[in-house]
Amino acid sequence: MYERFYGLHERPFELTPNPRYLFRSARHSEALTMLQYGSCRRNGLTLLIGDAGTGKTTLVTAALEGQRGGNAFSVYMTNPALNRDEFFEFLALGFGLGDEARRSKTRLLLELTNSLADRHQADGASALIIDEAQCLSDTLLEEVRLLGNVESTTEKLLSIILIGQPELAARLNAPSMRQLKQRVALRCTLAALNVDETAAYIDTRIRVAGGEWTSIFTRAAVEAVHRGAHGIPRTISVICENALINGFALEQRPIGADIIVEVCRDFDLDAAAELPAKKAEPEPPRPFSFF
């Protein structure tokens, strides 16, 4: 729709967790390294915390992409709002266990332990990755803790990675969860992007899509995006996508802060800082680290 007008090969701000578009802030790079390490080093329990839209799922997708062709095997659960029987059924299917394991916890634990031990003997690693882990019931969090007890005399046989919003961290602080919290070996928290990182995020996605951000957004527009999104990557993408549609309709290139503020108003986002006075001539483009 707007791609040709802005010199793009594809739409840069899709909301799918495409690892090609992963923006590696210092914190995101740290989190990606932690996920990769936690899924292949038999490290026990790994915890990744971040607000909705901070890029957790994209990081997991990138970590799993990096496993291809290696000796790590991961089962990835994206919807953990299950009861205990459904949870065990998912584990049995994910780890390729027999029909009996789907119906019996005893059988599941026996087959799972044997399967993990066999993979360990072959110098392979096994991981269970649970996204949206704040949705796990207390009962399932206890089952997750017990799964962490599957081990040989020298190593854990199953790495467990919990990925969730800050509510998960708050739950782990409860006295009833102290045993699970004590098993956390690696932990990282994602924060919102600052204004420089917001500019770099926009630049990264537009470059991957084949364009140059300086011909698409003014510096004032990027500042307005940051104000409206409060540094949350998913919201940045929503604002930019709608700004590109509106800018195309108005044949405006580059997009100014006025269009960004209008988009934010449409989405009830708080970007209502006063617009800077318009300049007689647009400023020449500079590198994205202009703040």
Side-chain angles (χ1 to χ4, degrees), residues 177-257:
M177 295 292 169
R178 67 186 183 280
Q179 290 183 324
L180 180 59
K181 185 177 180 180
Q182 289 168 359
R183 283 165 168 74
V184 176
L186 297 171
R187 177 168 175 159
C188 186
T189 301
L190 294 178
L193 304 181
N194 62 33
V195 67
D196 286 330
E197 290 168 336
T198 296
Y201 175 88
I202 292 171
D203 172 67
T204 296
R205 296 189 74 100
I206 288 177
R207 279 192 295 105
V208 172
E212 292 288 336
W213 82 265
T214 51
S215 66
I216 298 177
F217 292 105
T218 66
R219 296 196 305 278
V222 172
E223 291 175 330
V225 170
H226 178 73
R227 288 195 303 270
H230 299 285
I232 301 299
R234 184 188 298 158
T235 310
I236 293 170
S237 289
V238 169
I239 294 172
C240 288
E241 171 71 8
N242 282 270
L244 287 169
I245 294 170
N246 290 0
F248 171 67
L250 296 171
E251 297 186 351
Q252 185 174 129
R253 185 177 54 216
I255 292 166

